[in-house]
Amino acid sequence: MSITGERDGQPGAGPQKVGIAITDVLTGMYASVAILAAITHRERTGQGQYIDAALLDTIVAFNANQISSFFTSGKVPVRWGNAHAQVVPYEVFPTADGHIILAVGNDSQFASFCQAAGCAELAQEHRFRTMSQRIVHRGELIPLITEVMRTRTKHEWIEALEAANVPCGPINNMKEVFEDPQVQHRQLRVDMPHPSGGMASVVRSPLRLSETPVEYRLAPPTLGQHNEEILKDLLGRSDADLKQLKAAGIV
């Protein structure tokens, strides 16, 4: 959170959390890698092992590039909001109907952007001609670009900038995500029949395996749906054990 949020001195400045439970999800992903490594070790040696997966370890490790910068320079990383510390303009801009991110990575891309945006004169100004100058004069350039970006819709900007080979992308809400043609082409939404009736929508796994593709056979279970199978078939509990657990309100 210390490196996420608007820059100090800007409206709304201060540490900010991300919009998803990123530490929980990442720890699960790291744990899956550890499990695969342990299985490989077991196949080679016949030995099992204990896996210690901590939320703290995961989120610290995930800050790899910022940590490397801190270790090598001794400078504490700061928040840059939606902007980039060394690349300008590289941040989110409002359009006529939403927001897009503009990622102008070099001087030729900046010239292409200015041409496509109808403000070619900006690319010729000494203050903005080179990346180093744009970084120095960030405070003067960004308001000018912000004013220009408000004149078209997200779709109009994406179409124009992609044609000019200027890196950019829309900021989509969840509804817009699943209306995106590429998301639909990749079939990232999977609708499955649910035991309670109707359909349950889930997100397709990003793991695409040619020989062992992920199968979608079971919808998300209802609460306690598989208690008996797990307790009796996997854990060897008897009917009496199961009855006792139910009576105690444990399952």
Side-chain angles (χ1 to χ4, degrees), residues 205-235:
S205 170
L207 304 179
R208 307 275 178 138
L209 300 156
S210 62
E211 303 304 317
T212 56
V214 176
E215 296 182 359
Y216 301 88
R217 296 178 286 106
L218 300 174
T222 57
L223 182 63
Q225 180 179 336
H226 301 106
N227 280 353
E228 290 197 19
E229 291 93 327
I230 293 171
L231 291 169
K232 294 172 65 176
D233 299 342
L234 293 180
L235 301 180

Side-chain angles (χ1 to χ4, degrees), residues 86-116:
Q86 290 90 30
V87 184
V88 178
Y90 190 125
E91 59 186 88
V92 172
F93 290 94
T95 70
D97 66 346
H99 293 78
I100 70 170
I101 185 166
L102 186 63
V104 178
N106 54 48
D107 298 337
S108 64
Q109 288 178 357
F110 182 67
S112 296
F113 163 75
C114 292
Q115 187 67 39

Side-chain angles (χ1 to χ4, degrees), residues 9 31-32 53 67 70 73 81-82 116 122 132 142 160 164 168 173 181 190 208 212 246:
S32 68
I67 289 172
F70 171 65
S73 70
N82 289 316
L122 287 182
S132 59
I142 296 305
C168 61
N173 60 37
V190 179
R208 307 275 178 138
T212 56
K246 288 181 177 179

Side-chain angles (χ1 to χ4, degrees), residues 120-180:
E121 68 281 359
L122 287 182
Q124 303 305 316
E125 286 200 35
H126 175 72
R127 295 176 298 167
F128 311 137
R129 192 177 301 154
T130 65
M131 183 66 75
S132 59
Q133 285 299 309
R134 290 196 295 278
I135 293 172
V136 171
H137 298 283
R138 179 196 303 263
E140 302 161 57
L141 176 61
I142 296 305
L144 297 176
I145 295 179
T146 299
E147 185 176 346
V148 171
M149 297 299 290
R150 293 184 187 276
T151 63
R152 305 182 199 175
T153 66
K154 282 196 301 184
H155 176 76
E156 289 170 338
W157 276 118
I158 297 298
E159 190 174 60
L161 295 177
E162 286 185 343
N165 293 318
V166 177
C168 61
I171 308 300
N172 291 330
N173 60 37
M174 290 302 171
K175 181 175 182 292
E176 291 169 325
V177 167
F178 289 95
E179 292 173 345
D180 182 270

Side-chain angles (χ1 to χ4, degrees), residues 7-84:
R7 290 170 287 168
D8 287 335
Q10 299 296 312
Q16 189 170 7
K17 72 180 186 67
V18 296
I20 58 174
I22 188 169
T23 309
D24 299 345
V25 174
L26 287 172
T27 303
M29 294 175 67
Y30 276 117
S32 68
V33 175
I35 290 168
L36 294 174
I39 290 173
T40 301
H41 175 74
R42 186 191 64 188
E43 289 179 345
R44 293 176 178 176
T45 67
Q47 294 179 324
Q49 58 186 298
Y50 176 82
I51 295 173
D52 178 355
L55 298 176
L56 174 64
D57 299 1
T58 294
I59 200 58
V60 172
F62 195 61
N63 283 275
N65 59 331
Q66 296 280 17
I67 289 172
S68 295
S69 176
F70 171 65
F71 283 169
T72 55
S73 70
K75 295 181 180 179
V76 177
V78 298
R79 295 182 304 279
W80 280 92
N82 289 316
H84 195 291

